Amino acid sequence: MTPNPGPFAGAGVRDCRALYPVVDAEPERQGMAVDDPPATERAKVRVTLFAAATTVRAFLLPHWQCWHQAWGPPDPVTPSQWTCVRSSMLLARAFDRDGIPATLRSGRPRHARMGNAHACHGLLTVDGRVSHAWVEAENFVIDVTADQFGHAPVVVTPADDPAYRSAKEQAYQLVATPAGLAAVEAIWPLWCAYADRKRLIPPDRTLDHEPRDSSSQPVRDLIPKTATA
C-alpha cells in the first residue's frame, strides 16, 4: 500500500485531544510504546489514531454486549470476541467520516499446510496465526478487538508489523456478512451523534483532507472488492 501522509500529518497531542477529548490520549498507559514526547510527525499521527480508535472502542462496548445477547451461548471470553469484522467496518467508516482514508484488512490461515504461504495470513498470537480483521490507515494497523487474542485492547502499529498479515486472495479474507453489514448500518447514526457530541475542533484547525459527510454512505462501500496487502 502506498503510504499516505494523511490529514493529521501535522497533528500534535493537543490537536488529537481536541478531536477526541473523551479519552486520555496517553498510549503508553494502554500498552502502546511511543516517544515521550512524540519526536516525529509519524509518532504524532500514531497518537492521534490511537485516541480515535480508543473512542470508537468505548462506543462499541455496549453494542458488543447487545450483539452477544442476540447470538446467545456460548458467552464470550472478552466483550470484543467474534466482533472483529463488524468493529473494523465501523472503525474504517468513522475514520473516513473524519477525512482519514481507511481500509478494512483481514486474513485467515485456514486449511493451511506447513510451508504454505497462506499459513501466514491473519494475526499472530501465542498459539500461532488466527483469523482476524483490522483497519489500515495512514500506513498504520489499527485494531480495536485484539484483546480477544491476548493483545492490548487498542493496537496501533506500523502496517508492516509482521504480526498482521492481510490476504490478497478473497478465499483467505474474512467476509462481511449481510447481518454484519446491517448491524453496522443500524449503529452508524448513533456513532455520528456520539462522535459529534465528543468532538471539539478548534476554529483555526485546517486539514489536508476535509472531513466528509458519510452519514448516507453504505459501509459496504468501504470494503475493497479485492483487498491488497
Side-chain angles (χ1 to χ4, degrees):
M1 186 177 85
T2 302
N4 187 331
F8 297 111
V13 175
R14 181 187 65 80
D15 289 331
C16 92
R17 288 178 177 172
L19 279 170
Y20 302 96
V22 69
V23 300
D24 182 6
E26 297 185 16
E28 63 277 5
R29 294 187 181 181
Q30 305 292 335
M32 189 184 86
V34 296
D35 296 330
D36 186 20
T40 66
E41 294 302 314
R42 182 167 170 79
K44 296 175 184 178
V45 173
R46 191 179 188 186
V47 169
T48 299
L49 294 173
F50 183 88
T54 302
T55 303
V56 171
R57 181 181 165 93
F59 167 80
L60 280 168
L61 277 169
H63 299 289
W64 287 339
Q65 295 173 3
C66 291
W67 293 343
H68 286 300
Q69 289 174 1
W71 291 334
D75 293 333
V77 176
T78 64
S80 65
Q81 192 170 15
W82 309 312
T83 71
C84 63
V85 175
R86 295 182 180 195
S87 300
S88 296
M89 286 193 295
L90 180 74
L91 179 61
R93 191 171 179 182
F95 279 153
D96 187 75
R97 183 174 186 255
D98 280 342
I100 306 174
T103 303
L104 178 69
R105 301 292 190 196
S106 67
R108 57 179 181 177
R110 297 179 181 176
H111 311 301
R113 298 184 301 274
M114 186 64 67
N116 187 335
H118 298 310
C120 295
H121 294 157
L123 173 63
L124 183 62
T125 72
V126 294
D127 298 317
R129 294 277 172 183
V130 295
S131 299
H132 194 47
W134 58 90
V135 169
E136 256 187 47
E138 304 297 328
N139 208 27
F140 281 102
V141 163
I142 305 99
D143 189 353
V144 295
T145 66
D147 58 325
Q148 64 182 304
F149 301 115
H151 292 281
V154 176
V155 174
V156 180
T157 188
D160 60 358
D161 187 328
Y164 287 84
R165 294 284 177 83
S166 61
K168 294 182 180 180
E169 299 88 348
Q170 289 185 336
Y172 295 95
Q173 297 170 1
L174 299 185
V175 177
T177 64
L181 289 166
V184 175
E185 290 289 351
I187 66 174
W188 178 247
L190 301 177
W191 162 255
C192 292
Y194 179 90
D196 291 343
R197 286 197 307 271
K198 303 300 181 184
R199 193 186 321 276
L200 180 61
I201 301 178
D204 60 344
R205 180 179 176 81
T206 59
L207 301 178
D208 294 338
H209 303 289
E210 290 297 327
R212 289 185 286 173
D213 179 8
S214 58
S215 58
S216 61
Q217 181 184 19
V219 68
R220 61 175 58 88
D221 291 349
L222 299 176
I223 303 173
K225 292 183 174 58
T226 303
T228 56

